[in-house]
Amino acid sequence: MELLKKRILDEGKALSENVLKVDSFLNHGVDAKLMYEIGTEFKNYFEKHNVTKIFTIESSGIAPTVMTAMQMELPMVTLKKQSSKILNGEVYQTTVHSFTKSLDYQLTLSKKYISEDDNILIIDDFLANGEAALGAIRLVEEAGAKVAGIGIVIEKSFQPGRKLLEDKGYDIYSLARIKKLGKDLIEFI
Ligand code: G4P
């Protein structure tokens, strides 16, 4: 998506060879107009996938997902990150390890918001090691539902997430794919 790539080049900053800061439009400040365009891109790609609901993971996945859900006229659900287990039988829960942040959290979904007839599109802001996406997939599949595809705003293609998900047969659509990060360097595939 050219508009997104331009914003990344204009405003993004590589903090290291691994981390891209995009606080001005995605992770802290949010550019609603850009999020709307992102929603259009995801809609155009996924509209033939018979999606029934769109899931995201709090918090930075919410803005692009709201815009996609609005345009696809579908319900949206935000998966919660809890620090400890609350196993009261009313939720599906799975442990996710974040390599970027060196911590574990419990990804949580209320059983009320999924059924085995669902075909779920998962959207997130970044794809790095794929742990968050894999956690979301585990919750969907534990509920007996299907994963329709995975939409990613910024994929760091030099990290293992994409390959891991592709090898498992999931359809991934990333709007910007970064090949390399470095001092004053942001290179796309
Ligand atoms: P993974 O799911 O692909 O394995 O990624 P990982 O756990 O390593 O990422 C943990 C958090 O760090 C996620 O945010 C993810 O969006 C974010 N992240 C990963 N790489 C980058 C990067 O290069 N730049 C930025 N800006 N963020 C990155 P989170 O903890 O879910 O936070 P948030 O959604 O509340 O913002």
Side-chain angles (χ1 to χ4, degrees), residues 18-22 27 58-61 81 97-101 125-132 156:
N18 287 316
V19 178
L20 174 68
K21 199 170 164 79
V22 282
N27 293 128
E58 62 177 347
S59 56
S60 299
K81 292 178 191 159
H97 177 73
S98 166
F99 288 100
T100 307
K101 297 195 172 169
D125 58 332
F126 268 91
L127 177 63
N129 294 286
E131 294 296 321
K156 291 186 292 178

mmCIF file with all atom_site columns, all heavy atoms in Angstrom, residues 18-22 27 58-61 81 97-101 125-132 156, ligand 1:
data_model
loop_
_atom_site.group_PDB
_atom_site.id
_atom_site.type_symbol
_atom_site.label_atom_id
_atom_site.label_alt_id
_atom_site.label_comp_id
_atom_site.label_asym_id
_atom_site.label_entity_id
_atom_site.label_seq_id
_atom_site.pdbx_PDB_ins_code
_atom_site.Cartn_x
_atom_site.Cartn_y
_atom_site.Cartn_z
_atom_site.occupancy
_atom_site.B_iso_or_equiv
_atom_site.pdbx_formal_charge
_atom_site.auth_seq_id
_atom_site.auth_comp_id
_atom_site.auth_asym_id
_atom_site.auth_atom_id
_atom_site.pdbx_PDB_model_num
ATOM   1   N N   . ASN A 1 18  ? 15.800 -4.009  14.593 1.00 0.00 ? 18  ASN A N   1
ATOM   2   C CA  . ASN A 1 18  ? 14.599 -4.822  14.811 1.00 0.00 ? 18  ASN A CA  1
ATOM   3   C C   . ASN A 1 18  ? 13.320 -4.044  15.038 1.00 0.00 ? 18  ASN A C   1
ATOM   4   O O   . ASN A 1 18  ? 12.243 -4.584  14.840 1.00 0.00 ? 18  ASN A O   1
ATOM   5   C CB  . ASN A 1 18  ? 14.792 -5.737  16.027 1.00 0.00 ? 18  ASN A CB  1
ATOM   6   C CG  . ASN A 1 18  ? 15.741 -6.857  15.717 1.00 0.00 ? 18  ASN A CG  1
ATOM   7   O OD1 . ASN A 1 18  ? 15.644 -7.464  14.664 1.00 0.00 ? 18  ASN A OD1 1
ATOM   8   N ND2 . ASN A 1 18  ? 16.664 -7.113  16.616 1.00 0.00 ? 18  ASN A ND2 1
ATOM   9   N N   . VAL A 1 19  ? 13.427 -2.808  15.504 1.00 0.00 ? 19  VAL A N   1
ATOM   10  C CA  . VAL A 1 19  ? 12.212 -2.091  15.925 1.00 0.00 ? 19  VAL A CA  1
ATOM   11  C C   . VAL A 1 19  ? 12.000 -0.800  15.130 1.00 0.00 ? 19  VAL A C   1
ATOM   12  O O   . VAL A 1 19  ? 12.891 0.032   15.021 1.00 0.00 ? 19  VAL A O   1
ATOM   13  C CB  . VAL A 1 19  ? 12.240 -1.789  17.444 1.00 0.00 ? 19  VAL A CB  1
ATOM   14  C CG1 . VAL A 1 19  ? 11.002 -0.996  17.851 1.00 0.00 ? 19  VAL A CG1 1
ATOM   15  C CG2 . VAL A 1 19  ? 12.298 -3.093  18.243 1.00 0.00 ? 19  VAL A CG2 1
ATOM   16  N N   . LEU A 1 20  ? 10.783 -0.694  14.582 1.00 0.00 ? 20  LEU A N   1
ATOM   17  C CA  . LEU A 1 20  ? 10.387 0.493   13.832 1.00 0.00 ? 20  LEU A CA  1
ATOM   18  C C   . LEU A 1 20  ? 9.394  1.293   14.655 1.00 0.00 ? 20  LEU A C   1
ATOM   19  O O   . LEU A 1 20  ? 8.349  0.770   15.059 1.00 0.00 ? 20  LEU A O   1
ATOM   20  C CB  . LEU A 1 20  ? 9.725  0.053   12.509 1.00 0.00 ? 20  LEU A CB  1
ATOM   21  C CG  . LEU A 1 20  ? 9.129  1.163   11.668 1.00 0.00 ? 20  LEU A CG  1
ATOM   22  C CD1 . LEU A 1 20  ? 10.229 2.063   11.095 1.00 0.00 ? 20  LEU A CD1 1
ATOM   23  C CD2 . LEU A 1 20  ? 8.281  0.586   10.547 1.00 0.00 ? 20  LEU A CD2 1
ATOM   24  N N   . LYS A 1 21  ? 9.709  2.567   14.887 1.00 0.00 ? 21  LYS A N   1
ATOM   25  C CA  . LYS A 1 21  ? 8.789  3.414   15.650 1.00 0.00 ? 21  LYS A CA  1
ATOM   26  C C   . LYS A 1 21  ? 7.865  4.144   14.681 1.00 0.00 ? 21  LYS A C   1
ATOM   27  O O   . LYS A 1 21  ? 8.339  4.844   13.770 1.00 0.00 ? 21  LYS A O   1
ATOM   28  C CB  . LYS A 1 21  ? 9.612  4.408   16.472 1.00 0.00 ? 21  LYS A CB  1
ATOM   29  C CG  . LYS A 1 21  ? 8.871  5.037   17.638 1.00 0.00 ? 21  LYS A CG  1
ATOM   30  C CD  . LYS A 1 21  ? 9.854  5.797   18.512 1.00 0.00 ? 21  LYS A CD  1
ATOM   31  C CE  . LYS A 1 21  ? 9.187  6.749   19.456 1.00 0.00 ? 21  LYS A CE  1
ATOM   32  N NZ  . LYS A 1 21  ? 8.633  6.131   20.634 1.00 0.00 ? 21  LYS A NZ  1
ATOM   33  N N   . VAL A 1 22  ? 6.567  3.970   14.863 1.00 0.00 ? 22  VAL A N   1
ATOM   34  C CA  . VAL A 1 22  ? 5.579  4.675   14.022 1.00 0.00 ? 22  VAL A CA  1
ATOM   35  C C   . VAL A 1 22  ? 4.509  5.288   14.925 1.00 0.00 ? 22  VAL A C   1
ATOM   36  O O   . VAL A 1 22  ? 3.320  5.143   14.686 1.00 0.00 ? 22  VAL A O   1
ATOM   37  C CB  . VAL A 1 22  ? 4.946  3.733   12.952 1.00 0.00 ? 22  VAL A CB  1
ATOM   38  C CG1 . VAL A 1 22  ? 5.879  3.511   11.783 1.00 0.00 ? 22  VAL A CG1 1
ATOM   39  C CG2 . VAL A 1 22  ? 4.521  2.398   13.552 1.00 0.00 ? 22  VAL A CG2 1
ATOM   40  N N   . ASN A 1 27  ? 0.798  3.848   16.535 1.00 0.00 ? 27  ASN A N   1
ATOM   41  C CA  . ASN A 1 27  ? 0.902  3.274   17.885 1.00 0.00 ? 27  ASN A CA  1
ATOM   42  C C   . ASN A 1 27  ? 0.619  4.250   19.029 1.00 0.00 ? 27  ASN A C   1
ATOM   43  O O   . ASN A 1 27  ? 0.464  3.832   20.172 1.00 0.00 ? 27  ASN A O   1
ATOM   44  C CB  . ASN A 1 27  ? 2.298  2.665   18.109 1.00 0.00 ? 27  ASN A CB  1
ATOM   45  C CG  . ASN A 1 27  ? 2.541  1.450   17.248 1.00 0.00 ? 27  ASN A CG  1
ATOM   46  O OD1 . ASN A 1 27  ? 3.531  1.361   16.542 1.00 0.00 ? 27  ASN A OD1 1
ATOM   47  N ND2 . ASN A 1 27  ? 1.619  0.504   17.262 1.00 0.00 ? 27  ASN A ND2 1
ATOM   48  N N   . GLU A 1 58  ? -5.700 -6.090  21.540 1.00 0.00 ? 58  GLU A N   1
ATOM   49  C CA  . GLU A 1 58  ? -5.508 -4.737  22.053 1.00 0.00 ? 58  GLU A CA  1
ATOM   50  C C   . GLU A 1 58  ? -4.013 -4.413  22.127 1.00 0.00 ? 58  GLU A C   1
ATOM   51  O O   . GLU A 1 58  ? -3.212 -5.336  22.316 1.00 0.00 ? 58  GLU A O   1
ATOM   52  C CB  . GLU A 1 58  ? -6.184 -4.601  23.427 1.00 0.00 ? 58  GLU A CB  1
ATOM   53  C CG  . GLU A 1 58  ? -5.618 -5.523  24.488 1.00 0.00 ? 58  GLU A CG  1
ATOM   54  C CD  . GLU A 1 58  ? -6.278 -5.277  25.851 1.00 0.00 ? 58  GLU A CD  1
ATOM   55  O OE1 . GLU A 1 58  ? -6.971 -4.271  26.046 1.00 0.00 ? 58  GLU A OE1 1
ATOM   56  O OE2 . GLU A 1 58  ? -6.074 -6.112  26.729 1.00 0.00 ? 58  GLU A OE2 1
ATOM   57  N N   . SER A 1 59  ? -3.583 -3.163  21.967 1.00 0.00 ? 59  SER A N   1
ATOM   58  C CA  . SER A 1 59  ? -4.433 -2.028  21.717 1.00 0.00 ? 59  SER A CA  1
ATOM   59  C C   . SER A 1 59  ? -4.244 -1.412  20.316 1.00 0.00 ? 59  SER A C   1
ATOM   60  O O   . SER A 1 59  ? -5.201 -0.889  19.742 1.00 0.00 ? 59  SER A O   1
ATOM   61  C CB  . SER A 1 59  ? -4.152 -0.933  22.762 1.00 0.00 ? 59  SER A CB  1
ATOM   62  O OG  . SER A 1 59  ? -2.762 -0.599  22.725 1.00 0.00 ? 59  SER A OG  1
ATOM   63  N N   . SER A 1 60  ? -3.054 -1.521  19.754 1.00 0.00 ? 60  SER A N   1
ATOM   64  C CA  . SER A 1 60  ? -2.840 -0.788  18.492 1.00 0.00 ? 60  SER A CA  1
ATOM   65  C C   . SER A 1 60  ? -3.515 -1.424  17.282 1.00 0.00 ? 60  SER A C   1
ATOM   66  O O   . SER A 1 60  ? -3.594 -0.800  16.222 1.00 0.00 ? 60  SER A O   1
ATOM   67  C CB  . SER A 1 60  ? -1.343 -0.627  18.211 1.00 0.00 ? 60  SER A CB  1
ATOM   68  O OG  . SER A 1 60  ? -0.737 0.104   19.234 1.00 0.00 ? 60  SER A OG  1
ATOM   69  N N   . GLY A 1 61  ? -4.011 -2.644  17.422 1.00 0.00 ? 61  GLY A N   1
ATOM   70  C CA  . GLY A 1 61  ? -4.737 -3.258  16.308 1.00 0.00 ? 61  GLY A CA  1
ATOM   71  C C   . GLY A 1 61  ? -6.141 -2.695  16.171 1.00 0.00 ? 61  GLY A C   1
ATOM   72  O O   . GLY A 1 61  ? -6.799 -2.874  15.137 1.00 0.00 ? 61  GLY A O   1
ATOM   73  N N   . LYS A 1 81  ? -5.657 -8.690  26.704 1.00 0.00 ? 81  LYS A N   1
ATOM   74  C CA  . LYS A 1 81  ? -4.423 -9.233  27.294 1.00 0.00 ? 81  LYS A CA  1
ATOM   75  C C   . LYS A 1 81  ? -4.553 -9.150  28.805 1.00 0.00 ? 81  LYS A C   1
ATOM   76  O O   . LYS A 1 81  ? -4.646 -8.048  29.356 1.00 0.00 ? 81  LYS A O   1
ATOM   77  C CB  . LYS A 1 81  ? -3.231 -8.386  26.872 1.00 0.00 ? 81  LYS A CB  1
ATOM   78  C CG  . LYS A 1 81  ? -2.890 -8.459  25.418 1.00 0.00 ? 81  LYS A CG  1
ATOM   79  C CD  . LYS A 1 81  ? -1.733 -7.529  25.183 1.00 0.00 ? 81  LYS A CD  1
ATOM   80  C CE  . LYS A 1 81  ? -1.467 -7.309  23.734 1.00 0.00 ? 81  LYS A CE  1
ATOM   81  N NZ  . LYS A 1 81  ? -0.711 -6.080  23.512 1.00 0.00 ? 81  LYS A NZ  1
ATOM   82  N N   . HIS A 1 97  ? 3.832  -15.352 24.308 1.00 0.00 ? 97  HIS A N   1
ATOM   83  C CA  . HIS A 1 97  ? 5.105  -14.760 24.700 1.00 0.00 ? 97  HIS A CA  1
ATOM   84  C C   . HIS A 1 97  ? 5.482  -13.684 23.698 1.00 0.00 ? 97  HIS A C   1
ATOM   85  O O   . HIS A 1 97  ? 5.489  -13.923 22.498 1.00 0.00 ? 97  HIS A O   1
ATOM   86  C CB  . HIS A 1 97  ? 6.212  -15.823 24.761 1.00 0.00 ? 97  HIS A CB  1
ATOM   87  C CG  . HIS A 1 97  ? 7.534  -15.223 25.102 1.00 0.00 ? 97  HIS A CG  1
ATOM   88  N ND1 . HIS A 1 97  ? 7.824  -14.767 26.374 1.00 0.00 ? 97  HIS A ND1 1
ATOM   89  C CD2 . HIS A 1 97  ? 8.616  -14.942 24.350 1.00 0.00 ? 97  HIS A CD2 1
ATOM   90  C CE1 . HIS A 1 97  ? 9.041  -14.252 26.382 1.00 0.00 ? 97  HIS A CE1 1
ATOM   91  N NE2 . HIS A 1 97  ? 9.543  -14.347 25.171 1.00 0.00 ? 97  HIS A NE2 1
ATOM   92  N N   . SER A 1 98  ? 5.763  -12.490 24.195 1.00 0.00 ? 98  SER A N   1
ATOM   93  C CA  . SER A 1 98  ? 6.249  -11.424 23.313 1.00 0.00 ? 98  SER A CA  1
ATOM   94  C C   . SER A 1 98  ? 7.767  -11.347 23.404 1.00 0.00 ? 98  SER A C   1
ATOM   95  O O   . SER A 1 98  ? 8.315  -11.032 24.454 1.00 0.00 ? 98  SER A O   1
ATOM   96  C CB  . SER A 1 98  ? 5.627  -10.081 23.725 1.00 0.00 ? 98  SER A CB  1
ATOM   97  O OG  . SER A 1 98  ? 6.355  -9.054  23.086 1.00 0.00 ? 98  SER A OG  1
ATOM   98  N N   . PHE A 1 99  ? 8.421  -11.636 22.275 1.00 0.00 ? 99  PHE A N   1
ATOM   99  C CA  . PHE A 1 99  ? 9.891  -11.538 22.239 1.00 0.00 ? 99  PHE A CA  1
ATOM   100 C C   . PHE A 1 99  ? 10.309 -10.071 22.258 1.00 0.00 ? 99  PHE A C   1
ATOM   101 O O   . PHE A 1 99  ? 11.292 -9.705  22.892 1.00 0.00 ? 99  PHE A O   1
ATOM   102 C CB  . PHE A 1 99  ? 10.445 -12.232 20.985 1.00 0.00 ? 99  PHE A CB  1
ATOM   103 C CG  . PHE A 1 99  ? 10.342 -13.731 21.063 1.00 0.00 ? 99  PHE A CG  1
ATOM   104 C CD1 . PHE A 1 99  ? 9.319  -14.412 20.416 1.00 0.00 ? 99  PHE A CD1 1
ATOM   105 C CD2 . PHE A 1 99  ? 11.263 -14.468 21.795 1.00 0.00 ? 99  PHE A CD2 1
ATOM   106 C CE1 . PHE A 1 99  ? 9.206  -15.787 20.494 1.00 0.00 ? 99  PHE A CE1 1
ATOM   107 C CE2 . PHE A 1 99  ? 11.160 -15.852 21.875 1.00 0.00 ? 99  PHE A CE2 1
ATOM   108 C CZ  . PHE A 1 99  ? 10.130 -16.509 21.216 1.00 0.00 ? 99  PHE A CZ  1
ATOM   109 N N   . THR A 1 100 ? 9.528  -9.225  21.560 1.00 0.00 ? 100 THR A N   1
ATOM   110 C CA  . THR A 1 100 ? 9.879  -7.797  21.495 1.00 0.00 ? 100 THR A CA  1
ATOM   111 C C   . THR A 1 100 ? 9.848  -7.169  22.891 1.00 0.00 ? 100 THR A C   1
ATOM   112 O O   . THR A 1 100 ? 10.690 -6.365  23.242 1.00 0.00 ? 100 THR A O   1
ATOM   113 C CB  . THR A 1 100 ? 8.901  -7.045  20.563 1.00 0.00 ? 100 THR A CB  1
ATOM   114 O OG1 . THR A 1 100 ? 8.884  -7.725  19.307 1.00 0.00 ? 100 THR A OG1 1
ATOM   115 C CG2 . THR A 1 100 ? 9.327  -5.609  20.332 1.00 0.00 ? 100 THR A CG2 1
ATOM   116 N N   . LYS A 1 101 ? 8.849  -7.575  23.705 1.00 0.00 ? 101 LYS A N   1
ATOM   117 C CA  . LYS A 1 101 ? 8.706  -6.946  25.025 1.00 0.00 ? 101 LYS A CA  1
ATOM   118 C C   . LYS A 1 101 ? 9.169  -7.841  26.168 1.00 0.00 ? 101 LYS A C   1
ATOM   119 O O   . LYS A 1 101 ? 9.079  -7.459  27.336 1.00 0.00 ? 101 LYS A O   1
ATOM   120 C CB  . LYS A 1 101 ? 7.255  -6.506  25.229 1.00 0.00 ? 101 LYS A CB  1
ATOM   121 C CG  . LYS A 1 101 ? 6.865  -5.444  24.209 1.00 0.00 ? 101 LYS A CG  1
ATOM   122 C CD  . LYS A 1 101 ? 5.597  -4.704  24.541 1.00 0.00 ? 101 LYS A CD  1
ATOM   123 C CE  . LYS A 1 101 ? 5.407  -3.537  23.580 1.00 0.00 ? 101 LYS A CE  1
ATOM   124 N NZ  . LYS A 1 101 ? 4.088  -2.928  23.658 1.00 0.00 ? 101 LYS A NZ  1
ATOM   125 N N   . ASP A 1 125 ? -1.558 -4.742  14.088 1.00 0.00 ? 125 ASP A N   1
ATOM   126 C CA  . ASP A 1 125 ? -0.733 -3.640  13.570 1.00 0.00 ? 125 ASP A CA  1
ATOM   127 C C   . ASP A 1 125 ? 0.628  -4.131  13.078 1.00 0.00 ? 125 ASP A C   1
ATOM   128 O O   . ASP A 1 125 ? 1.077  -3.757  12.007 1.00 0.00 ? 125 ASP A O   1
ATOM   129 C CB  . ASP A 1 125 ? -0.578 -2.520  14.616 1.00 0.00 ? 125 ASP A CB  1
ATOM   130 C CG  . ASP A 1 125 ? 0.031  -2.992  15.924 1.00 0.00 ? 125 ASP A CG  1
ATOM   131 O OD1 . ASP A 1 125 ? -0.130 -4.174  16.287 1.00 0.00 ? 125 ASP A OD1 1
ATOM   132 O OD2 . ASP A 1 125 ? 0.679  -2.172  16.615 1.00 0.00 ? 125 ASP A OD2 1
ATOM   133 N N   . PHE A 1 126 ? 1.306  -4.980  13.873 1.00 0.00 ? 126 PHE A N   1
ATOM   134 C CA  . PHE A 1 126 ? 2.644  -5.456  13.496 1.00 0.00 ? 126 PHE A CA  1
ATOM   135 C C   . PHE A 1 126 ? 2.673  -6.979  13.453 1.00 0.00 ? 126 PHE A C   1
ATOM   136 O O   . PHE A 1 126 ? 2.017  -7.648  14.263 1.00 0.00 ? 126 PHE A O   1
ATOM   137 C CB  . PHE A 1 126 ? 3.686  -5.015  14.540 1.00 0.00 ? 126 PHE A CB  1
ATOM   138 C CG  . PHE A 1 126 ? 4.332  -3.701  14.197 1.00 0.00 ? 126 PHE A CG  1
ATOM   139 C CD1 . PHE A 1 126 ? 3.794  -2.504  14.657 1.00 0.00 ? 126 PHE A CD1 1
ATOM   140 C CD2 . PHE A 1 126 ? 5.474  -3.657  13.410 1.00 0.00 ? 126 PHE A CD2 1
ATOM   141 C CE1 . PHE A 1 126 ? 4.384  -1.283  14.333 1.00 0.00 ? 126 PHE A CE1 1
ATOM   142 C CE2 . PHE A 1 126 ? 6.073  -2.447  13.084 1.00 0.00 ? 126 PHE A CE2 1
ATOM   143 C CZ  . PHE A 1 126 ? 5.534  -1.264  13.551 1.00 0.00 ? 126 PHE A CZ  1
ATOM   144 N N   . LEU A 1 127 ? 3.463  -7.516  12.534 1.00 0.00 ? 127 LEU A N   1
ATOM   145 C CA  . LEU A 1 127 ? 3.791  -8.948  12.570 1.00 0.00 ? 127 LEU A CA  1
ATOM   146 C C   . LEU A 1 127 ? 5.306  -9.050  12.728 1.00 0.00 ? 127 LEU A C   1
ATOM   147 O O   . LEU A 1 127 ? 6.055  -8.593  11.863 1.00 0.00 ? 127 LEU A O   1
ATOM   148 C CB  . LEU A 1 127 ? 3.343  -9.643  11.282 1.00 0.00 ? 127 LEU A CB  1
ATOM   149 C CG  . LEU A 1 127 ? 3.703  -11.141 11.166 1.00 0.00 ? 127 LEU A CG  1
ATOM   150 C CD1 . LEU A 1 127 ? 3.020  -11.963 12.266 1.00 0.00 ? 127 LEU A CD1 1
ATOM   151 C CD2 . LEU A 1 127 ? 3.301  -11.696 9.792  1.00 0.00 ? 127 LEU A CD2 1
ATOM   152 N N   . ALA A 1 128 ? 5.711  -9.635  13.851 1.00 0.00 ? 128 ALA A N   1
ATOM   153 C CA  . ALA A 1 128 ? 7.147  -9.784  14.121 1.00 0.00 ? 128 ALA A CA  1
ATOM   154 C C   . ALA A 1 128 ? 7.454  -11.283 14.180 1.00 0.00 ? 128 ALA A C   1
ATOM   155 O O   . ALA A 1 128 ? 7.727  -11.922 13.167 1.00 0.00 ? 128 ALA A O   1
ATOM   156 C CB  . ALA A 1 128 ? 7.507  -9.064  15.414 1.00 0.00 ? 128 ALA A CB  1
ATOM   157 N N   . ASN A 1 129 ? 7.323  -11.850 15.369 1.00 0.00 ? 129 ASN A N   1
ATOM   158 C CA  . ASN A 1 129 ? 7.582  -13.293 15.514 1.00 0.00 ? 129 ASN A CA  1
ATOM   159 C C   . ASN A 1 129 ? 6.329  -14.144 15.309 1.00 0.00 ? 129 ASN A C   1
ATOM   160 O O   . ASN A 1 129 ? 6.405  -15.363 15.296 1.00 0.00 ? 129 ASN A O   1
ATOM   161 C CB  . ASN A 1 129 ? 8.166  -13.566 16.896 1.00 0.00 ? 129 ASN A CB  1
ATOM   162 C CG  . ASN A 1 129 ? 9.535  -12.932 17.033 1.00 0.00 ? 129 ASN A CG  1
ATOM   163 O OD1 . ASN A 1 129 ? 10.512 -13.411 16.467 1.00 0.00 ? 129 ASN A OD1 1
ATOM   164 N ND2 . ASN A 1 129 ? 9.610  -11.807 17.743 1.00 0.00 ? 129 ASN A ND2 1
ATOM   165 N N   . GLY A 1 130 ? 5.199  -13.483 15.201 1.00 0.00 ? 130 GLY A N   1
ATOM   166 C CA  . GLY A 1 130 ? 3.959  -14.208 14.929 1.00 0.00 ? 130 GLY A CA  1
ATOM   167 C C   . GLY A 1 130 ? 3.285  -14.775 16.166 1.00 0.00 ? 130 GLY A C   1
ATOM   168 O O   . GLY A 1 130 ? 2.259  -15.451 16.056 1.00 0.00 ? 130 GLY A O   1
ATOM   169 N N   . GLU A 1 131 ? 3.823  -14.472 17.338 1.00 0.00 ? 131 GLU A N   1
ATOM   170 C CA  . GLU A 1 131 ? 3.280  -15.088 18.561 1.00 0.00 ? 131 GLU A CA  1
ATOM   171 C C   . GLU A 1 131 ? 1.856  -14.623 18.858 1.00 0.00 ? 131 GLU A C   1
ATOM   172 O O   . GLU A 1 131 ? 1.019  -15.429 19.266 1.00 0.00 ? 131 GLU A O   1
ATOM   173 C CB  . GLU A 1 131 ? 4.198  -14.799 19.757 1.00 0.00 ? 131 GLU A CB  1
ATOM   174 C CG  . GLU A 1 131 ? 5.570  -15.456 19.659 1.00 0.00 ? 131 GLU A CG  1
ATOM   175 C CD  . GLU A 1 131 ? 5.491  -16.982 19.663 1.00 0.00 ? 131 GLU A CD  1
ATOM   176 O OE1 . GLU A 1 131 ? 4.664  -17.533 20.402 1.00 0.00 ? 131 GLU A OE1 1
ATOM   177 O OE2 . GLU A 1 131 ? 6.244  -17.616 18.904 1.00 0.00 ? 131 GLU A OE2 1
ATOM   178 N N   . ALA A 1 132 ? 1.598  -13.333 18.665 1.00 0.00 ? 132 ALA A N   1
ATOM   179 C CA  . ALA A 1 132 ? 0.254  -12.817 18.954 1.00 0.00 ? 132 ALA A CA  1
ATOM   180 C C   . ALA A 1 132 ? -0.759 -13.437 17.979 1.00 0.00 ? 132 ALA A C   1
ATOM   181 O O   . ALA A 1 132 ? -1.841 -13.888 18.389 1.00 0.00 ? 132 ALA A O   1
ATOM   182 C CB  . ALA A 1 132 ? 0.238  -11.302 18.859 1.00 0.00 ? 132 ALA A CB  1
ATOM   183 N N   . LYS A 1 156 ? 7.324  -7.171  9.536  1.00 0.00 ? 156 LYS A N   1
ATOM   184 C CA  . LYS A 1 156 ? 8.789  -7.156  9.505  1.00 0.00 ? 156 LYS A CA  1
ATOM   185 C C   . LYS A 1 156 ? 9.199  -8.512  8.937  1.00 0.00 ? 156 LYS A C   1
ATOM   186 O O   . LYS A 1 156 ? 9.287  -9.518  9.641  1.00 0.00 ? 156 LYS A O   1
ATOM   187 C CB  . LYS A 1 156 ? 9.331  -6.900  10.900 1.00 0.00 ? 156 LYS A CB  1
ATOM   188 C CG  . LYS A 1 156 ? 9.041  -5.461  11.364 1.00 0.00 ? 156 LYS A CG  1
ATOM   189 C CD  . LYS A 1 156 ? 9.688  -5.124  12.677 1.00 0.00 ? 156 LYS A CD  1
ATOM   190 C CE  . LYS A 1 156 ? 9.057  -5.913  13.789 1.00 0.00 ? 156 LYS A CE  1
ATOM   191 N NZ  . LYS A 1 156 ? 9.681  -5.658  15.088 1.00 0.00 ? 156 LYS A NZ  1
HETATM 192 P P1  . G4P B 2 .   ? 4.652  -11.059 17.569 1.00 0.00 ? 1   G4P B P1  1
HETATM 193 O O1  . G4P B 2 .   ? 3.276  -11.086 18.142 1.00 0.00 ? 1   G4P B O1  1
HETATM 194 O O2  . G4P B 2 .   ? 4.640  -10.945 16.062 1.00 0.00 ? 1   G4P B O2  1
HETATM 195 O O3  . G4P B 2 .   ? 5.482  -12.218 18.049 1.00 0.00 ? 1   G4P B O3  1
HETATM 196 O O4  . G4P B 2 .   ? 5.324  -9.722  18.064 1.00 0.00 ? 1   G4P B O4  1
HETATM 197 P P2  . G4P B 2 .   ? 5.874  -9.358  19.499 1.00 0.00 ? 1   G4P B P2  1
HETATM 198 O O5  . G4P B 2 .   ? 5.155  -10.157 20.520 1.00 0.00 ? 1   G4P B O5  1
HETATM 199 O O6  . G4P B 2 .   ? 7.335  -9.452  19.420 1.00 0.00 ? 1   G4P B O6  1
HETATM 200 O O7  . G4P B 2 .   ? 5.377  -7.862  19.620 1.00 0.00 ? 1   G4P B O7  1
HETATM 201 C C1  . G4P B 2 .   ? 5.001  -7.380  20.859 1.00 0.00 ? 1   G4P B C1  1
HETATM 202 C C2  . G4P B 2 .   ? 4.448  -5.995  20.768 1.00 0.00 ? 1   G4P B C2  1
HETATM 203 O O8  . G4P B 2 .   ? 5.408  -5.164  20.128 1.00 0.00 ? 1   G4P B O8  1
HETATM 204 C C3  . G4P B 2 .   ? 3.184  -5.818  19.986 1.00 0.00 ? 1   G4P B C3  1
HETATM 205 O O9  . G4P B 2 .   ? 2.534  -4.690  20.508 1.00 0.00 ? 1   G4P B O9  1
HETATM 206 C C4  . G4P B 2 .   ? 3.695  -5.466  18.599 1.00 0.00 ? 1   G4P B C4  1
HETATM 207 O O10 . G4P B 2 .   ? 2.726  -4.761  17.868 1.00 0.00 ? 1   G4P B O10 1
HETATM 208 C C5  . G4P B 2 .   ? 4.845  -4.592  18.958 1.00 0.00 ? 1   G4P B C5  1
HETATM 209 N N1  . G4P B 2 .   ? 5.899  -4.551  17.970 1.00 0.00 ? 1   G4P B N1  1
HETATM 210 C C6  . G4P B 2 .   ? 6.660  -5.576  17.499 1.00 0.00 ? 1   G4P B C6  1
HETATM 211 N N2  . G4P B 2 .   ? 7.600  -5.094  16.671 1.00 0.00 ? 1   G4P B N2  1
HETATM 212 C C7  . G4P B 2 .   ? 7.407  -3.753  16.608 1.00 0.00 ? 1   G4P B C7  1
HETATM 213 C C8  . G4P B 2 .   ? 8.070  -2.713  15.907 1.00 0.00 ? 1   G4P B C8  1
HETATM 214 O O11 . G4P B 2 .   ? 9.040  -2.897  15.161 1.00 0.00 ? 1   G4P B O11 1
HETATM 215 N N3  . G4P B 2 .   ? 7.583  -1.459  16.105 1.00 0.00 ? 1   G4P B N3  1
HETATM 216 C C9  . G4P B 2 .   ? 6.532  -1.193  16.907 1.00 0.00 ? 1   G4P B C9  1
HETATM 217 N N4  . G4P B 2 .   ? 6.137  0.071   17.002 1.00 0.00 ? 1   G4P B N4  1
HETATM 218 N N5  . G4P B 2 .   ? 5.887  -2.143  17.596 1.00 0.00 ? 1   G4P B N5  1
HETATM 219 C C10 . G4P B 2 .   ? 6.327  -3.421  17.425 1.00 0.00 ? 1   G4P B C10 1
HETATM 220 P P3  . G4P B 2 .   ? 1.658  -4.776  21.804 1.00 0.00 ? 1   G4P B P3  1
HETATM 221 O O12 . G4P B 2 .   ? 2.439  -5.207  22.987 1.00 0.00 ? 1   G4P B O12 1
HETATM 222 O O13 . G4P B 2 .   ? 0.518  -5.645  21.462 1.00 0.00 ? 1   G4P B O13 1
HETATM 223 O O14 . G4P B 2 .   ? 1.292  -3.307  22.050 1.00 0.00 ? 1   G4P B O14 1
HETATM 224 P P4  . G4P B 2 .   ? 0.113  -2.435  21.559 1.00 0.00 ? 1   G4P B P4  1
HETATM 225 O O15 . G4P B 2 .   ? -0.718 -3.193  20.557 1.00 0.00 ? 1   G4P B O15 1
HETATM 226 O O16 . G4P B 2 .   ? -0.656 -2.163  22.774 1.00 0.00 ? 1   G4P B O16 1
HETATM 227 O O17 . G4P B 2 .   ? 0.744  -1.250  20.919 1.00 0.00 ? 1   G4P B O17 1
#
